[in-house]
Amino acid sequence: MGGVGIAAAFVLGVLLCVKTPPLIQGVLLGAGIIVFTGLLDDFFKISPKLKFVGEILAVTAFMMVSGISLPGFGDLFGIGEIRFGFLAPVFTVFCMVGVINALNLSDGLDGLAAGLSAIVLFFIAVLAYSNQAWFFLVLALSGLGAILGFLRYNTHPAKLFMGDSGSLLLGFLLAALSVGLAHGGGLYKPVKPIVMATILALPVVDTLHVMTGRLRRGENPFLPDKTHLHHRLLSMGLPHRDVVTIIYGLSAVFGALGVLGSSGPEWALLLETLVLCGGIYGFVSWAEKNGLKRSGSGLRQPRRRLSGAKKPYQVTLARLAGKSTPYLLPLFLLFFLLPVLLIFPMPPITGYFSFASCLVVVLLYPWKGGRHEMPMAHGVFSVMIFCILLLYMFAPNRPSWLFWYFVGLSALALFWSIPKMLFTREGVYAIPSSFELILILLSWFVPVVLAPFLGISDSARLTLMQSCAMAVPILMLFKVATRRHARRNWLVASSFVFVFAFIGGTAFFMN
């Protein structure tokens, strides 16, 4: 029933932010039909034909109410525009139903479909902002917020599942926003269709690859099997968490390729997308044929092998790092948060940012969670560290030496973490979880891709990149030092909540 929660959060977010012109009405009506179809399948296991009927009805309702359809494929081959003319509604239904089913079929691992949708929606939001398509921006951000709330409980090991009601809804939302941005209609600058296709390439190409293989073997293309990309990576011995993280990373690469290539020729972006897809599936096929598998023991190494397998200086470094952990963590946390006293007075906008950061920590951090909740806890750490560094770096009254202070802290974190990661079994904790990867990618995407669209100055963009770079080793230190100790993680999270609340409160009371 997680899909119902996603739908409710999405609709509430949209209705709170905008009025309901035909565009919004069309999206909400189509979303209602698709969620109902998904619920029927979740409870009664309806046939694929009936699911197709529900999907076609949802897409048709969206087109009729909003007046939006896909005008064509653009200038894919450098010989002129490929336009559909009076067949535009037919091609629109075909493309949107294809995207809906592509995402539905990708829902095979904990957090996979939701994370893919979140990454795609983020790139769609960037394009909507840059093209001044404000209604689409609200739709994308509302969907992104609903998904992040769901991922809080769907990240491996999942406690909540979206079902077909959720996966069909997310597929419909991605398809509707993609078609809408490509439509334009004179209200905003249209996005090239190949840009949207590139952003959606990973789930769509995987579905086409799987269905083609089933047809070639004489099988029903709509029945489930184990030939999806995530299944193939699992069969190579990769753990569940690593597979989801890899696919998240690949999806982010496709999204960045689409956004960065939006201003270039369409045929070049098509060629780049095809080459990237061919490289991914070619490598996986080569790895399968050559028996490339990961050891079932993963990255964990028995502690008893440390002294015999490592050189003496490596053993010494690892032991020093291990013995210093109980003292280093509170001291480092203190020196990381103490400079908050040097950046006052802060403007009121900082107060809003601090209160928002505090709210994110309070809602997302697993306060009563155990060892299995640590990936979520460390994902929240990545947000906290990045946000506090932004507050420090952009404070109007910060001392000039504060930048070098944090460079030193970041270097200390790096040099302390390296022996722990290389020479002890605690190094496995430094590997980012899938939820962490989404948050880290979002933070890096701001200066690398988003800043040019937002008109951010070069100096501010450099500061953002510096904050991202410093946040990585600091996050590594916190992760390796806290590991799966619930009390240590609770101490770090509580300290950040206090600091964010303190900054937010003083920003208002001192102004």
Side-chain angles (χ1 to χ4, degrees), residues 72-91:
F73 285 149
D75 187 11
L76 284 182
F77 306 105
I79 57 176
E81 293 279 336
I82 301 175
R83 303 194 66 84
F84 299 144
F86 68 94
L87 292 177
V90 177
F91 280 97

Side-chain angles (χ1 to χ4, degrees), residues 13-33:
V14 172
L15 296 180
L16 286 175
C17 292
V18 295
K19 297 180 181 180
T20 54
L23 168 62
I24 301 296
Q25 294 173 12
V27 172
L28 295 182
L29 178 59
I33 296 173

Side-chain angles (χ1 to χ4, degrees), residues 6-16 18-36 58 61-63 65-66 138-139 142-143 169 172-173 176-177:
I6 296 175
F10 167 69
V11 172
L12 181 62
V14 172
L15 296 180
L16 286 175
V18 295
K19 297 180 181 180
T20 54
L23 168 62
I24 301 296
Q25 294 173 12
V27 172
L28 295 182
L29 178 59
I33 296 173
I34 206 75
V35 170
F36 179 72
F62 162 72
M63 289 192 301
V65 176
S66 66
V138 170
L139 290 168
S142 298
L169 170 64
F172 170 79
L173 181 59
L177 293 179

Side-chain angles (χ1 to χ4, degrees), residues 203-274:
V204 172
V205 170
D206 187 52
T207 299
L208 292 175
H209 182 270
V210 169
M211 287 189 169
T212 301
R214 293 171 184 170
L215 290 172
R216 192 167 53 244
R217 296 188 299 270
E219 301 172 355
N220 188 332
F222 301 107
L223 293 180
D225 61 15
K226 299 292 184 181
T227 59
H228 284 280
L229 180 61
H230 54 271
H231 291 132
R232 297 170 69 182
L233 293 176
L234 284 173
S235 66
M236 293 168 60
L238 291 169
H240 180 292
R241 185 184 70 174
D242 292 356
V243 171
V244 175
T245 302
I246 289 171
I247 294 179
Y248 281 3
L250 293 175
S251 180
V253 170
F254 279 106
L257 177 63
V259 171
L260 294 175
S262 59
S263 58
E266 294 169 75
W267 63 266
L269 183 56
L270 172 63
L271 180 62
E272 293 166 357
T273 303
L274 292 176

